[in-house]
Amino acid sequence: MRGALLLVLVQTCGALGSEPERLFKVVPQRGFPAVESVTLYQTRNSKREKVADVTAFEKPTQLPSAGPFEVWVRCKGGTAVKALDALSVKEGATHELKLGELFGTVEVFGDNLPRAEKIVLTDPRDPGPGEKNHVAVQVATAYRVELCVPPGVYAVWVVPANGGRAQRVEDNVRVQAGRSVRVGD
C-alpha cells in the first residue's frame, strides 16, 4: 500500500512538473556564412527578456513558452540582425530556422577602395556613418567578410582607417534571400 501510494505521488509530481515541449532548431545551410549565435527575446510586462542564446546548433533548444519571440542572428564577423519579429511555437512542435530562406549576404572587396576601419551596410536613404539619424543594418571590420542581411536594397559605406569621412561606395545593392552579392569585385 505504501509503495503504491509513493508510486502515484511520483507519477503525479512528474506530470505536474513537465512542461509541454516546444523546440527551436537552427539549420545551418551550405554556402551560408558561419553563425556565431542566435538569440531569442520575449517581451513580458513591457520588459524585453533574453530567453535563449543558441550557440550549439547540433540539437534543438527547449523554449520556455509558446512565445511570441524576437529572433536575432549574429553571423561571424558581423552584428546581430533581426530574423523574425513574432515567432510562436505550438506545443509539441519544433521550429526550424533556415537561415538561407531569411537572409542573403553581401561581400565587399576592397582592392580599389581605401584601407577600412569598418564596412557598413545601410538603407539607401541613410545619411551615412558619423551623421545624425544614421542606422547601420550590418557592420564588418574587414573586407571580404560575408555580411548577412534580410532581403532588400542597401547602400555600402567604407569608413577609412585614416580617420577620414565615410564614403558611399555603392548604392542600391539588391540582396535576395539565399543569394550572395559581391561589391567591388
Side-chain angles (χ1 to χ4, degrees):
M1 175 74 173
R2 224 170 139 186
L5 181 60
L6 183 58
L7 180 62
V8 170
L9 183 60
V10 168
Q11 288 175 342
T12 304
C13 289
L16 292 175
S18 66
E19 287 287 320
E21 194 168 80
R22 292 177 179 91
L23 300 174
F24 177 80
K25 179 161 178 53
V26 177
V27 180
Q29 292 183 284
R30 204 170 118 211
F32 195 79
V35 175
E36 289 181 1
S37 66
V38 176
T39 306
L40 285 85
Y41 295 94
Q42 188 170 24
T43 303
R44 295 182 190 155
N45 302 326
S46 302
K47 291 184 182 181
R48 185 173 175 224
E49 299 174 7
K50 183 189 296 188
V51 293
D53 198 14
V54 183
T55 56
F57 307 122
E58 299 80 36
K59 57 183 180 176
T61 301
Q62 174 73 33
L63 297 175
S65 67
F69 303 103
E70 280 184 19
V71 180
W72 291 75
V73 175
R74 179 185 306 276
C75 290
K76 186 173 182 177
T79 59
V81 179
K82 187 186 286 189
L84 298 171
D85 197 28
L87 170 68
S88 294
V89 180
K90 294 180 182 178
E91 183 177 320
T94 300
H95 178 80
E96 290 187 344
L97 183 71
K98 296 178 181 175
L99 299 172
E101 294 177 2
L102 298 173
F103 293 107
T105 62
V106 176
E107 187 173 7
V108 180
F109 291 81
D111 298 341
N112 298 320
L113 299 172
R115 197 164 64 92
E117 178 181 317
K118 61 183 172 179
I119 293 89
V120 182
L121 295 181
T122 67
D123 181 276
R125 298 176 303 268
D126 189 272
E131 300 295 326
K132 185 178 179 179
N133 298 326
H134 163 66
V135 177
V137 175
Q138 186 58 273
V139 178
T141 56
Y143 290 116
R144 299 178 188 245
V145 171
E146 289 183 294
L147 301 165
C148 61
V149 290
V153 178
Y154 299 95
V156 179
W157 295 80
V158 173
V159 178
N162 65 8
R165 186 180 181 122
Q167 301 174 19
R168 184 187 294 237
V169 296
E170 195 73 40
D171 289 328
N172 300 322
V173 174
R174 182 167 304 282
V175 178
Q176 297 175 351
R179 302 282 176 119
S180 184
V181 177
R182 298 169 78 140
V183 174
D185 187 20

